[in-house]
Amino acid sequence: MSRVVRFYSLGGPEVLRLEEREIPKPGAGEVLIKVEAIGLNRADVMFRTGRYLEKATFPSQMGFEGSGTVLATGPGVESFRAGDAVGVMPGFDLSKYGTYADHAVIPQAYVLPQPQGLTSVQAAGLWMAYLTAYGGLIEAGRLMAGDWVVISAASSSVGLAAIQIARQAGARPIATTLTSAKRDALMEAGAYAVIATQEESLEQRLQELTGGMLNCAFDAVGGPQVVSLAEAMAPRGCIVVHGALSPEDTPFPLKLALKKSLTFRGYVYTEVTKNTDCLARAQAFIAQGIASGTLRPYIDRTFSLDKVIDAHRYLESNQQFGKVVLTT
């Protein structure tokens, strides 16, 4: 038998149920993985509560990513064989193929070799964060060496990955966070500076730090603060919005965009995962960073799979610095 987490209605962490099932069998083009660790994401909470782009089909599984070992492959799978250490990247049907389980069947298109030099727990927190940050900064944001870039919600796993990726690209990352409580940790993580948005003026501090030469913004928040970002941007700068943590509407700063020839765009990780060439570039960049030690997932805390409700409550507390991981 094998355990799996499902939910049958939208709601709080208590809707999650740990159930038993037969070990699933892979179909055509699918890979059966013995899951060792599962990376949690803010998007998990959004999916569970009905606020994510993809909507749950009940009974629904969940989980965007994980790491483990291949147990079996279905017809047509040639890239993997039993015993391979692999990771799962996001992009599949969450309701059908979630990773919150002892065993997960995943379409081979979303299975990647596990990079050497990472533990299974670290590998579980790799692909969602680093593919999102790579695509948003390097592909969409056109980040170059010497550029100034501001990264919002910087203590999240995506934010920390973005700081590391910006550093690897030779750029200068400025981290934003709500309060100064995580300032020292963000500086140690590689930020050039930290702005506590509940305690300081975002626009004023960006102007002071960059002299109006902010080249890129990688924003997980949206809402009214995008106007402050636009005010601080250099001519022909790029604002990449990849999240909507703000409960308020996000205005489009048209006059500033026209005045400065700004690019303002939404971004989702599937721009990388569904583009073969882009995914190959991302994998090469990430592999180089792991090999050199530049890129390394921050793991805040681990929970066993049977403590999934506690893990989601902790995830929603926003106390974490980096990734929350479930282990089987």
Side-chain angles (χ1 to χ4, degrees):
M1 298 295 288
S2 177
R3 298 174 300 168
V4 61
V5 174
R6 296 189 181 103
F7 63 110
Y8 294 75
S9 62
L10 302 178
E14 66 278 357
V15 302
L16 301 176
R17 300 184 188 177
L18 184 62
E19 301 176 336
E20 287 199 345
R21 64 176 177 180
E22 298 289 337
I23 296 175
K25 296 180 180 179
E30 296 177 339
V31 178
L32 173 63
I33 299 169
K34 174 63 181 77
V35 178
E36 296 175 14
I38 304 136
L40 273 59
N41 295 277
R42 294 178 190 270
D44 291 342
V45 174
M46 297 177 71
F47 183 63
R48 193 196 72 222
T49 55
R51 295 182 290 117
Y52 192 60
L53 294 174
E54 180 180 342
K55 303 305 179 184
T57 301
F58 299 118
S60 177
Q61 297 186 65
M62 68 185 311
F64 290 86
E65 61 183 338
S67 64
T69 304
V70 174
L71 288 184
T73 59
V77 176
E78 298 179 354
S79 300
F80 301 98
R81 61 184 180 182
D84 287 347
V86 295
V88 177
M89 70 175 183
F92 45 83
D93 181 338
L94 286 170
S95 294
K96 182 179 180 181
Y97 290 113
T99 57
Y100 283 32
D102 289 326
H103 301 86
V105 169
I106 302 293
Q108 65 173 331
Y110 302 99
V111 180
L112 297 173
Q114 180 172 312
Q116 293 185 351
L118 297 181
T119 66
S120 61
V121 169
Q122 290 173 322
L126 180 65
W127 294 115
M128 180 71 155
Y130 286 82
L131 290 176
T132 298
Y134 169 87
L137 291 174
I138 307 302
E139 300 283 344
R142 307 184 301 275
L143 195 66
M144 305 290 289
D147 283 354
W148 285 104
V149 56
V150 61
I151 298 163
S152 65
S155 64
S156 69
S157 56
V158 174
L160 291 168
I163 291 173
Q164 295 177 5
I165 285 172
R167 282 284 198 168
Q168 183 170 322
R172 294 173 286 183
I174 299 169
T176 77
T177 184
L178 291 176
T179 72
S180 56
K182 297 178 181 179
R183 184 185 301 273
D184 290 347
L186 286 167
M187 293 296 293
E188 291 178 10
Y192 269 68
V194 176
I195 301 173
T197 56
Q198 289 184 348
E199 302 169 8
E200 308 170 84
S201 166
L202 176 61
E203 179 184 340
Q204 180 179 339
R205 289 290 290 132
L206 287 173
Q207 292 283 0
E208 292 171 356
L209 290 164
T210 71
M213 295 307 294
L214 179 65
N215 306 99
C216 180
F218 184 59
D219 182 35
V221 178
Q225 79 165 24
V226 298
V227 177
S228 297
L229 296 176
E231 290 280 7
M233 295 299 292
R236 294 176 298 280
C238 183
I239 300 174
V240 179
V241 180
H242 69 97
L245 295 177
S246 173
E248 301 181 67
D249 290 338
T250 300
F252 182 78
L254 178 60
K255 291 183 179 179
L256 288 168
L258 292 172
K259 180 181 179 181
K260 297 184 179 184
S261 299
L262 301 179
T263 299
F264 185 100
R265 76 190 300 285
Y267 163 79
V268 292
Y269 61 82
T270 52
E271 293 184 35
V272 176
T273 61
K274 294 187 181 297
N275 183 314
T276 302
D277 292 339
C278 184
L279 179 59
R281 291 192 296 270
Q283 285 182 269
F285 185 97
I286 292 168
Q288 177 187 354
I290 291 172
S292 67
T294 306
L295 305 184
R296 190 72 53 176
Y298 278 81
I299 306 301
D300 177 90
R301 188 171 171 183
T302 62
F303 292 80
S304 60
L305 185 61
D306 61 345
K307 299 295 184 183
V308 62
I309 291 176
D310 292 338
H312 267 241
R313 286 174 176 155
Y314 181 69
L315 186 66
E316 289 185 278
S317 75
N318 291 321
Q319 299 176 53
Q320 71 271 20
F321 187 84
K323 204 74 170 181
V324 179
V325 175
L326 293 170
T327 57
T328 60

